[in-house]
Amino acid sequence: MSATRCPCLSGLTYDDCCGRLHTGSAVAQTAEQLMRSRYSAFAVGDTAYLVATWHASTRPVSLDLDPDQRWYRLDVRATREGGPFDTSGVVEFEAFHRSPAGAGSQHEVSRFSREDGLWFYLDGVRGQ
Ligand SMILES: [Zn+2]
């Protein structure tokens, strides 16, 4: 149990937000929800969740997270489709990180695909 604030900054606790998705007690209903939960998985170091929510066609063979990199802020800039009745969606976001080497951010336009009721991360391109 954890009453800490969810890393995706939804305003909910981790347990009531992305934590439910990480433990498998709920599934993402929208592409944005999946994107937020994947960001939070980076923040809490849940590699298994990241791999499980990666589309089989683009999933990396292995995934190593940098333990020195702290993800501290997520801005969802825009969404397109990705709703409960869509089979694809696009989420543009900027995620901010810092490490002993310095601070930075990742601005990405991600594509998501829904199969059998489950959203998957497909791929992304760098945002403008
Ligand atoms: Zn969350």
Side-chain angles (χ1 to χ4, degrees):
M1 289 293 287
S2 165
T4 54
R5 195 162 70 138
C6 192
C8 83
L9 304 183
S10 60
L12 300 172
T13 65
Y14 173 68
D15 282 351
D16 284 340
C17 189
C18 299
R20 296 179 309 138
L21 306 179
H22 293 170
T23 59
S25 64
V27 298
Q29 299 299 308
T30 66
E32 181 181 345
Q33 228 176 30
L34 186 79
M35 189 269 130
R36 287 179 168 278
S37 70
R38 284 176 52 84
Y39 166 83
S40 292
F42 272 102
V44 301
D46 191 338
T47 321
Y49 184 80
L50 290 168
V51 171
T53 54
W54 216 304
H55 195 269
S57 66
T58 53
R59 185 183 294 157
V61 177
S62 68
L63 184 64
D64 288 316
L65 301 184
D66 180 352
D68 285 337
Q69 200 162 56
R70 298 273 169 244
W71 295 87
Y72 68 94
R73 179 177 151 195
L74 172 69
D75 289 351
V76 174
R77 296 268 185 91
T79 62
R80 198 163 70 240
E81 300 182 323
F85 303 104
D86 294 318
T87 52
S88 64
V90 175
V91 180
E92 179 180 359
F93 67 92
E94 186 166 7
F96 297 80
H97 55 80
R98 55 180 160 236
S99 72
S105 75
Q106 181 176 340
H107 182 191
E108 185 179 310
V109 179
S110 298
R111 294 197 304 154
F112 296 87
S113 164
R114 195 166 64 109
E115 290 175 6
D116 297 327
L118 295 176
W119 283 103
F120 293 94
Y121 170 73
L122 200 55
D123 55 20
V125 295
R126 190 189 291 263
Q128 297 299 311

